[in-house]
Each structure stands twice: as structure tokens, then as C-alpha cells.
């Protein structure tokens, strides 16, 4: 199985995602330059973190017009998995791959720290290897990570089990204090209605090597690998 | 030589104009003598920049020459954009620190951001990929609204820039003291890695090779920034506001990728950042290093604004620009790489055999210097050095006679007050705004004694930290500078790293005042002595003079950026306690080594400053050779696998260090029982808060005790067992005299330590102003 | 037909009803600076575009398109375009 | 004298001559989206303040002060205040 990691001009977690996939998962990965229109037959597309166009105007607003995004949207339309992390999540929302939007953190400041996440739906192709109600420790690093959507969208997300990760405390409770950016309902990650596009603000690719801290992100990648192995 | 005539419209060269350019009469005579004629306006601008303190080091060069710069590990010493040392396995580390004090005083957000940008470029132009940033900051007291604005703006500027480029900011220090009230210090350090074979220098070579301007277009920003950085901060600086430069981290990221690609491509021979004094200094320095001539045609430089004069183009400090010497015939390959990254490249000149530095505007020569003399004719000064009487008096103060405050009857009050001193308190308010984990190399990020970064493709890691206690240097410059080197070394050693080399940023006042020049020369002597003892050569650095404001010079602040090497990643050691029942050992003398009769008291301590508002006394004596012994003892214990945690004692002394070991890790506070009753004949405040150097707190399992003691003694270091970790306890309990204990609840210590800065900054109007003004995106 | 240059300002504001931390923070800061009479503050973007078009109407229409396509996020923002001013 | 409420909009823009990375990037994006006629884009902030004051003039004067003290960066930005509209 092959991961294609998109490099926008200001991407900077493309490298982290590549190393995670290749070094820690032992899977195959390739970088996809944003100006190309060829996904090179990859199975999973990763929209990585970073500041695609300096995040000028709005994070992700300009990147969604990159030539490669047409192909990414088509890939998603065919049911292909897309893992959109941080800036990737912002781009995915701007591109309409996921509902809602990510706006400036409620505290207005950039927040870099390790947070706790509860796995709210372990039935997705991204979370199948996690236990039910697992609590993960994963780094965040963003200034525009507050998830917002209208009431109807939120209700639909909740009803369909599309809320995959929620910010919580060490014990797994989604308290207001545990929410680092003011996201509505503490939402940290959602999947598309079809279940094949995951957007999340925390960085699972930074949590795969126990040398650097808890490796709680590893099972996310392993879930994807397990799916294709079936 | 060509004929150079004044350009129509240029101002006439008058004594007033010369003075405005910061040249004194003697310097102007040198210039006329070098040219054999009156300079043109453009030439005056060029020289004003090149002979500014910032570019020429005219007051410090002679002193800097005394520093040790060699060692088997050094691949590139001072003189290039950054120093480079070998770290084994074919890998090399490039690192450098630089100041951006004056720009940050005027416009904190952009000043700090462009400071970060500049130092990044210094590192990647060596061929190294930046992997970490550090920052060393000094501000006045947070009681002042202006200081809160500066602090909030600087932190946001550093964060926004580094975060966007994608380089983790992993360590630093922040000190608050009235001495920095209107003249904050903003020093940024960058660390990069490369294969040894990828090292490239900024030496113009190869007659006929094209000189190419790369990156952002040239605008009118920051013209005269270099000479601005060389003047006292005064009311007049306010009028110079349009000189601020605006950073563009997105373009920097493109430039970073494009430059590394260029360097690896083999199409270029040299690359250099256009930093202070922009095109002028970058081209002159490249020519000087290569001992060749250059000619630059300013009309070919891509500009941002219409009607820019040669003077403006040459002196612009627009950010995110590079100067490249390419191989002849490879211009198109260079352009192709830049186009891929949406950057522009323009051939603007050529390397020539004739030993001149020539600037043309189209066919007209607008400036020309005999190349070799541009640099050699630069004035050098060794002004008078004399210690100020006032400081001699301050140092001689007997601080033991200062009476205790009534509140100090409650020792917990004092400890909480110490921990909530903004200088000691947790800096998480700042570093939470810095992405510290991007690039996934950060083994220990901000919050540890030093940051640790793994080196991919190797089992090794590096440790980095900046340090300097300006108060010590103020009271005793030579000793204080030694202490700065030793503290930085101790900090990296506490993570398991062997100190390898340093970079330094010398922040001092106006060198023409004898008391300031005295401090500068003593401090440099102290750095040299400590580095020789520690075997850490100086690979580069930066001098920032004229750090003054109407209220006087800042504390002399020679910030040391230390690089350490961990040979085996398994040796990485953390500073906070974790294992129950571990024995707590103090390596080093609790009251300091007694050498020549002098023992460490409370002189120059944070205790005196914070509790009594006093800056006086003899600061703790630093003995670099003893420091090296302590470090060697620690490293041997770590390598043998005995050490579960190591934390150095510095600001705030033993009590603060113990409290940090217990509760700096907010996820997992751990209690302990400490017994200091053996020192009950010494005043308690001296026992708890003296800042004796050369002390490290370690924890080891019971089973290691004998071996650890033997190793320490083998290095002539006294190991003192002072307590036990009690992981189930919620208190730090210190027996201060037989039967007398200080019971410090961890949650109260944590509230003081972690809550102090947020309590001041969150919700402050200045903080809000920064967040609002600096909003790139506003929704 | 010959183009001429126009300047058009666009205001992009967060949709009413969305939590506005920036506005709230500034309101608080203004109060603490003594501007007690401030009731509320809302912050949006002020984008000034200089563009060429055959006439003011077409300039405005093209800016309208820019807003719809790029400048405003339809999920969270409303925008308003001021009249084109010939340069 | 009784206060009444006014709404005042403020526009804060980057000072001319300073690099405007955001404006440049958006210009580039608009060009690549086909809006080739765009000459330049500058991005500033649009701040809407509701405040109470005895009259419109005093409302404007107080907003002027807010800009100087808090809202605009005196080193890098210029601001302009629109007339107070009674609410
Ligand atoms: N400006 C800063 N940026 C990043 N990290 C910082 C900064 N200031 C302090 N830190 C981090 O906070 C911790 C405590 O710093 P410091 O008080 O200087 O430690 P020490 O007293 O051991 O030298 C260190 O991990 C340091 O790297
Ligand atoms: Mg330390």
C-alpha cells in the first residue's frame, strides 16, 4: 500500500508524515508536488500540516486551488482514503471535502502542546485498530483550529458518528478546559459522510515513535494498512 | 579604475551628511584617502553601512581574536555565516546566534520575526537544513505596560515566523529586569544539520561567474538598519520608524527549500544571505572572502517600488533575499530551480579579476572602491577601559547584613515568591506559542534543562541551550561571563550531552564609554577562559553594542549558545523526578567550592533582587575547571546508566531547583523528602537560595549509590545525599534544621510557578493589542 | 473597449452569531484602558483591491466573483463590496 | 448630558511602502484563478465599534484614541475612521 503525501509550497509536515509512514510503519510513501495532476497510483492521500500559502488570507483558502486538488477530490469521490491533518484539514474544509470550517483559536494564540483525544468512533477505516473509548495523547500545533459548523451540520455529524476525535482530559471527559481552541463540541477530527476522508487538527504523524513521547498516533496509520490488507 | 561622477539629484557631501551617516572626521578622511577623491553619495552610503559597528566589528574585533576557535570538532570557525562542527557519523551541525534588539524595541513583532528569519538564513546558506530554533530574551519588568507589549509582540513574532517556516523552537531563556526596560534583548539562534560533504561557504570564486539575486524583491525597507543597530536607542530612533522591515515567513520557507536544492545541485559556488546592509555587505563580504573583484549593476536588481536609487537598492534591508554566485553557463538551471519554488532570480553582476568593488547603474559607474581596502581600511578601535567605581562599590556590599522581611518568617512565602518571579517562573506562556515538535526530532523540548534533538540516520542526538545571567556579568564581568559558559554547559550536560562548542551574542552598551568597554573586554576574556577549560571552542557569534536607553546601558549580557553531543540516544536524561524512592544527590558543594577563601553567598542572587530589590554583592565565583569535573562526573554516571534525572542549580539556588524537579512537569508532580539539617548553622536563606555554581541535582536508584559516589569522588566532586523521591507524596518536605521542616504543598508551588506569567499577561490590554494588530488572519 | 483602473474595498466579516473571541478580547482591553462606553467590537477584514475593468460595474462584478471564489469563506463569513472608485 | 449609542467603523491598513506579504500572496492567487486584471491587493482590518457618547463628534474622538492606543500599530499601520452612525 502506498501513501501519497502532497507538498504544497508551504507544507512543512509533509516530511513528518513521510518519515512516519516509511520509518515507523515500514510502508511505501511518495511526495506529490502540488503543481502536478498525477496521484501516481497511491492508495492513501495525505494532506499534511504546514502553512500551505503562508496561511495568508485564511488557512487552506489558496491551497485548495492547487492543480493537484482536483485529483485529490476525484480520488475521494472514488472512495479513496484521504488523511487531512492540521493545515490539511483546513484545506479539506475549504475544498468542500469535509463540512464546516476552522477559524482562529478562541484564545487567539497559537497553541503547541500535547492534548488528550477520545476516540469517538472506532468503526472508521482510520480508527479500526483503536479500542472503544480509547484516550490518546497527541501533539497539536495550530493557530486556526477552532472547528465551527452550523447546527444542522453538527447534528448530522454527531448522528452519523462522523465525529471521530474529541478533545478530552486524561480521564476521557470532554470538558471545556480540555478544549484547547474552542472547537464546537470539542471536535478535534471528523470523517466525511462516506467515511473515507478524515480531517483532524492534532498530528498523529508526530506521535509514532516512543522516543519522542507517546506513540498513540501509530494505530491510525496501522488502521489504514489493515484495511487494505483485508 | 573607472571614472565615478556624482549622480544627478544626489545630495552634496557635506560634513552634516557625513555625520548623519555615522562617520567621524577621521573615518571620512580614511574614505577620501582610500578613494583618492571625494566619495559620491552612493559611496558614502556603502561605507556608512560597511563601517558601521554591526558590519565591521570595529570596537570588538581585536578582543574577539583572543577567543579559542579551534578543535578537532570544528569544521568551520568564525567568519562565515554560521559555525559548523562535526558530530560524528559523517554529520555536521551548523549553528549561530544573532541579535535583533533595536528593531524589536521599535516594533517587537516584526523585529523579532525578522530576527528569526535572518538567523535561519545564516544556517541554511551553509548547506545545513535548520532543525531547531532557540531564543534568548531580556525585558524590563512586566509591571510596565510597554514591556508587556514588547514581550507579547516579540513572542508572537518569533512564534509566527518559526511556526510558518516549520522549524521547531525548542529552548531559550527569558529574563525580566529593569535594566532592560526600554532596550530589550532579542537574540535568536538556529541549529541545522547536514552531511559533512554538503558544507558550502560564501566565498565568491571563479572569474566570470554570474552573481544572482534570489528571492524577494528589493523595497525601501530597513534602509540604514545596520547603522541604526549601531546607535543608542533614543527619542530620535522613534523618528526612524519607517526603517522597520516586515517578515514574510512563507517566502522564507520557499527560499529555504530552493537554497538547499541549489546547494545540492552543484550549479552554484557560493551563497550568502542579504542581511544587515543588504546587497552592499553581502556582495562585499563574498568578494573579500574570495579575494576577487565584483561588479554589480543595480538596474538589474528586481525592485518592489518605482524610482529606487542605487543608494536605496544597495542599502535596502528587505528580507528573504539571497545572493548567489553561480557557475558560468548554469544560469538557466539556477532559474529553473527557483521557478519551481515560485521565486525569481536575476543576474545582477559578475565576479571579476580586477580587484575592485564596482557598482553600476546600467553603463554608468556609480560607486567604485579598491576591493581589498574596503575591509582592510576599516577603522579599528580599542578605547579606554575602566571599571566604574559604582560597580566596585556595589560588589563590595556586604549583603549578609540586609535584614529579612517580616514575611520571610514563613519560609513557604519566600519560596512561593521566588517561584513566581517572572524570571524563574515557567515560560510555557511563551513557548506554548512555538511549535516545538514539527520535524519530529524533538526528544526534549522547551521545559527541560536543554533541548534534545535526535540526529536521523545516527544513534546520536544533540543538546542545545542558551544562557547568561546579566546580573553576574554586571557585578563582575569576567566571572559572570565564565558563569554563562558554565551554566550553558551544565544545562546540556544534564540531558546527557558532552559540551562541544559555543556560539555567542555579546549584548553590551556604548563601547566608547570606558566602563562599558571594560565590561566587554573582561567578558570576552572570561568566555575565552571558560571555553578553554571546557574544551568548547567558539565557532561564531554576533556583537550588539549601543544597547542603551536614556536610563543607561543594559546589563552586559554575553549570551552563550551551547551545543552538546549525546553519543547514544539511550543516555538522554530528563530534569524532573519520576521514580519513587530514588536517592537525591547533590553533585558539587552546597555552599560552593571554597577557592582562595571566597565562598558563594547571596551576592547577585535572584533572592536579593526578587525579595529585597537589591542588586549587589560578589556574585558566585565560577571555576571552569571545577565545573568541568562536575560535568564529567555527571556524564560518567549517566553513561553507566545510573541517573534517572539531572537538573542544574542556577537562578534561585537549590530550593528553586528542587521545586522545579518536583513540579515543573505538570502532568506528574512528584514529592520528596529533603534533609538539609547538616547546614543548620548557616542562615537558611543562604542554604536555600545561594547560587553557588557547579551544582547539579541528580536522582539515582539506591543500588547505584556506591558506584555514583565512587565516580564523583574520582572526579574530585563531593556527592552529597540530600533526600529521597516520594512519588505518592503531594509535598516537598525540606528538613531545614533538626526537628524543623518546611512543608511545601506541590499544588501551591505549581500555582506560583506555572501561574505567574499567565496571571500577568492573559487579559492584559497589551497582549490583546498584539493579538489584534499582528493578526494575519482576523476571523 | 479600453480598461481603466479602479479601487474597490471589500469588508469581510464573521457571520453574526459565531463566537467572536477577537471582538470580545478587544472590548475587554478597551474597557480596561478606560473606554468604558464601548458596547461591542467586531473585527473583520478590509481588503483593498486595485483592478482594471472596462467600467465600474464590471470591476465590481469581478470583485464580487473574487469574494465568492476566494476572499470570503461562505461557511463563516459575509462580505460587502464598496463602490468602485476610478484611479 | 445623556449618552447615546453610535456605530463607527475603522479601517486599518498596512502603511504604504512596507512589504505586504499577505496582499502579494493573494494577488498571486487571484491571478492564477484567472483574475488577471488585478493590480494589487492590500489586506487590513475592518473594525466595527459600538460605543456610547454624548454626540457623534465625541464618539469619533474616542474611537480615534482607541486606534492610537490599542487598535492600530503606530509603526506599521495607518487607520481611517468613518463617521459615527447613531443606533
Ligand atoms: N524564550 C524561550 N523559548 C523557548 N523555550 C524557553 C524560553 N525561555 C525558557 N525556555 C525554556 O524553559 C526552560 C527553563 O529555562 P531556564 O529558566 O533558562 O532554565 P535554566 O535555569 O535551567 O537555565 C528551558 O527548557 C528553556 O529552554
Ligand atoms: Mg537548567
Amino acid at each position: 500500500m502506498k501513501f501519497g503525501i502532497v507538498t504544497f509550497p508551504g507544507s512543512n509536515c509533509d516530511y513528518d508524515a513521510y518519515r512516519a509512514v516509511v520509518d515507523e510503519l515500514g510502508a511505501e510513501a511518495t511526495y506529490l508536488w502540488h503543481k502536478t495532476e498525477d496521484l501516481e497510483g497511491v492508495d492513501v492521500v495525505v494532506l499534511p500540516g504546514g502553512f500551505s500559502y503562508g496561511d495568508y488570507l485564511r488557512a487552506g483558502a489558496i491551497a485548495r486551488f492547487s492543480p493537484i486538488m482536483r485529483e485529490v477530490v476525484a480520488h475521494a469521490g472514488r472512495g479513496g482514503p484521504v488523511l487531512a491533518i492540521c493545515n490539511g484539514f483546513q484545506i479539506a474544509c475549504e475544498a468542500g471535502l469535509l463540512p464546516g470550517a476552522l477559524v482562529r483559536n478562541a484564545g487567539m494564540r497559537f497553541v503547541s502542546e500535547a492534548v488528550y483525544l477520545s476516540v469517538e468512533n472506532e468503526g472508521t477505516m482510520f480508527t479500526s485498530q483503536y479500542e472503544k473509548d480509547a484516550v490518546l495523547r497527541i501533539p497539536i500545533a495550530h493557530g486556526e483550529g477552532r472547528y465551527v459548523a452550523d447546527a444542522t451540520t453538527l447534528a448530522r455529524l454527531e448522528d452519523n458518528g462522523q465525529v471521530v476525535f474529541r478533545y478530552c482530559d486524561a480521564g476521557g471527559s470532554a470538558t471545556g478546559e480540555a478544549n484547547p481552541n474552542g472547537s464546537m463540541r470539542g471536535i478535534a477530527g471528523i470523517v466525511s459522510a462516506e467515511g473515507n476522508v478524515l480531517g483532524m487538527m492534532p498530528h498523529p504523524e508526530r506521535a509514532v515513535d516512543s522516543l519522542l513521547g507517546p506513540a498513540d498516533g501509530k494505530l491510525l496509520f496501522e488502521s489504514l494498512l489493515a484495511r487494505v490488507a483485508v | 579604475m573607472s571614472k565615478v561622477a556624482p549622480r544627478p539629484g544626489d545630495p552634496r557631501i557635506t560634513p552634516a551628511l557625513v555625520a548623519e551617516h555615522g562617520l567621524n572626521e577621521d573615518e571620512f578622511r580614511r574614505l577620501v584617502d582610500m578613494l583618492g577623491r571625494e566619495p559620491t553619495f552612493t559611496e558614502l552610503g556603502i561605507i556608512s553601512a560597511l563601517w558601521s559597528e554591526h558590519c565591521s566589528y570595529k570596537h570588538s574585533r581585536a578582543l574577539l581574536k583572543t577567543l579559542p576557535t579551534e578543535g578537532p570538532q570544528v569544521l568551520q570557525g568564525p567568519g562565515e555565516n554560521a559555525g559548523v562542527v562535526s558530530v560524528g557519523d559523517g554529520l555536521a551541525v551548523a549553528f549561530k546566534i544573532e541579535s535583533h534588539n533595536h528593531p524589536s524595541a521599535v516594533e517587537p513583532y516584526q523585529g523579532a520575526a525578522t530576527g528569526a528569519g535572518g538567523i535561519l538564513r545564516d544556517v541554511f546558506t551553509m548547506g545545513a537544513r535548520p532543525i531547531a530554533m532557540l531564543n534568548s530574551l531580556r525585558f524590563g519588568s512586566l509591571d510596565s505596560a510597554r514591556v508587556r507589549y514588547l514581550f507579547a509582540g516579540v513572542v508572537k513574532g518569533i512564534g509566527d515566523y518559526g511556526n510558518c517556516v516549520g522549524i521547531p523552537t525548542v529552548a531559550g531563556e527569558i529574563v525580566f529586569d529593569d535594566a532592560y526596560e526600554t532596550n530589550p534583548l532579542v537574540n535568536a539562534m538556529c541549529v541545522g544539520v547536514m552531511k559533512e560533504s554538503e558544507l558550502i561557504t560564501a566565498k565568491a570564486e571563479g572569474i566570470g561567474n554570474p552573481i544572482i539575486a534570489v528571492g524577494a524583491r528589493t523595497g525601501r525597507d530597513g534602509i540604514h538598519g545596520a547603522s541604526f543597530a549601531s546607535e543608542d536607542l533614543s527619542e530620535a530612533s522613534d523618528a526612524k520608524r519607517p526603517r522597520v522591515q516586515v517578515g514574510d515567513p512563507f517566502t522564507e520557507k520557499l527560499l529555504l527549500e530552493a537554497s538547499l536544492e541549489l546547494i545540492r545541485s552543484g550549479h552554484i559556488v557560493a551563497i550568502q544571505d542579504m542581511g544587515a546592509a543588504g546587497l552592499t555587505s553581502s556582495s562585499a563580504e563574498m568578494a573579500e572572502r574570495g579575494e576577487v573583484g565584483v561588479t554589480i549593476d543595480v538596474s538589474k536588481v528586481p525592485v518592489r517600488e518605482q524610482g529606487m536609487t542605487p543608494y536605496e537598492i544597495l542599502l535596502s534591508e528587505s528580507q528573504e533575499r539571497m545572493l548567489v554566485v553561480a557557475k558560468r553557463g548554469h544560469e538557466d538551471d539556477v532559474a529553473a530551480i527557483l521557478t519551481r519554488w515560485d521565486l525569481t532570480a536575476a543576474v545582477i553582476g559578475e565576479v571579476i579579476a580586477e580587484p575592485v568593488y564596482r557598482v553600476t547603474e546600467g553603463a554608468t559607474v556609480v560607486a567604485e572602491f579598491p576591493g581589498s581596502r574596503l575591509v582592510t581600511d576599516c577603522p579599528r578601535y580599542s578605547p579606554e577601559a575602566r571599571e566604574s567605581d559604582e560597580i566596585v562599590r556595589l560588589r563590595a556590599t556586604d549583603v549578609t547584613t540586609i535584614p529579612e522581611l517580616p514575611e520571610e518568617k514563613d519560609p513557604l512565602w519566600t519560596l512561593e515568591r521566588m517561584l513566581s518571579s517572572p524570571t524563574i517562573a515557567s515560560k510555557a506562556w511563551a513557548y506554548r506559542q512555538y511549535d516545538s515538535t514539527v520535524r519530529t526530532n524533538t526528544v526534549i523540548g522547551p521545559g527541560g534543562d536543554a533541548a534534545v534533538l535526535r540526529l536521523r540516520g545516527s544513534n546520536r542526538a544533540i543538546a542545545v541551550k542558551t544562557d547568561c545571567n546579566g546580573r553576574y556579568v554586571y557585578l563582575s564581568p569576567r566571572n559572570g561571563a565564565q558563569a554563562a559558559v558554565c551554566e550553558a554547559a551544565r544545562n546540556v550536560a544534564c540531558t546527557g550531552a558532552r559540551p562541544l562548542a559555543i556560539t555567542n551574542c555579546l549584548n553590551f552598551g556604548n563601547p566608547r564609554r570606558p566602563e562599558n568597554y571594560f565590561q566587554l573586554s573582561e567578558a570576552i576574556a572570561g568566555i575565552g577562559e571558560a571555553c578553554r577549560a571546557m574544551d568548547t571552542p567558539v565557532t561564531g557569534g554576533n556583537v550588539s553594542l549601543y544597547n542603551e536607553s536614556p536610563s543607561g546601558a543594559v546589563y552586559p549580557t554575553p549570551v552563550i549558545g551551547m551545543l552538546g553531543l549525546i553519543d547514544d540516544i539511550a543516555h538522554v536524561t530528563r530534569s524532573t523526578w519520576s521514580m519513587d524512592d530514588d536517592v537525591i544527590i547533590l553533585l558539587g558543594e552546597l555552599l560552593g567550592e571554597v577557592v582562595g577563601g571566597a565562598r558563594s553567598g547571596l551576592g547577585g542572587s535572584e533572592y536579593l533582587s526578587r525579595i529585597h530589590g537589591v542588586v549587589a554583592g560578589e556574585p558566585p565565583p565560577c571555576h571552569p575547571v571545577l565545573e568541568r569535573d562536575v560535568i564529567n562526573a555527571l556524564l560518567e554516571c549517566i553513561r553507566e546508566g545510573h541517573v534517572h534525572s539531572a537538573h542544574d542549580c542556577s537562578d534561585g539556588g537549590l530550593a528553586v531547583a528542587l521545586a522545579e524537579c518536583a513540579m515543573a512537569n505538570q502532568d506528574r508532580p512528584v514529592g520528596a523528602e529533603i534533609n538539609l539539617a547538616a547546614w543548620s548553622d548557616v542562615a537558611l536563606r543562604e542554604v536555600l537560595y545561594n547560587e553557588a555554581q557547579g551544582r547539579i541535582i541528580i536522582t539515582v536508584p539506591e543500588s547505584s549509590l556506591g558506584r555514583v559516589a565512587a565516580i564523583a569522588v574520582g572526579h574530585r566532586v563531593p556527592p552529597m545525599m540530600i533526600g529521597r523521591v516520594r512519588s505518592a507524596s503531594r509535598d516537598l518536605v525540606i528538613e531545614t534544621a533538626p526537628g524543623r521542616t518546611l512543608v511545601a504543598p506541590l499544588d501551591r508551588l505549581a500555582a506560583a510557578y506555572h501561574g505567574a506569567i499567565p496571571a500577568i499577561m492573559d487579559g492584559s490590554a497589551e497582549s490583546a493589542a498584539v493579538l489584534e494588530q499582528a493578526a494575519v488572519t482576523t476571523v | 473597449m479600453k480598461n481603466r483602473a479602479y479601487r474597490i474595498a471589500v469588508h469581510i466579516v464573521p457571520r453574526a452569531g459565531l463566537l467572536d473571541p477577537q471582538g470580545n478580547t478587544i472590548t475587554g482591553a478597551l474597557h480596561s484602558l478606560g473606554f468604558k462606553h464601548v458596547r461591542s467590537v467586531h473585527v473583520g477584514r478590509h481588503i483593498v483591491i486595485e483592478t482594471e475593468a472596462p467600467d465600474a460595474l464590471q470591476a465590481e462584478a469581478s470583485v464580487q466573483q473574487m469574494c465568492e471564489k476566494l476572499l470570503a469563506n461562505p461557511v463563516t463569513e459575509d462580505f460587502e463590496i464598496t463602490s468602485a472608485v476610478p484611479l
Side-chain angles (χ1 to χ4, degrees), chain B residues 448-449 465 487 491 647-648 650:
Chain B
D449 272 28
K465 182 68 169 80
E487 185 185 351
N491 271 321
H647 183 39
D648 87 308
S650 54

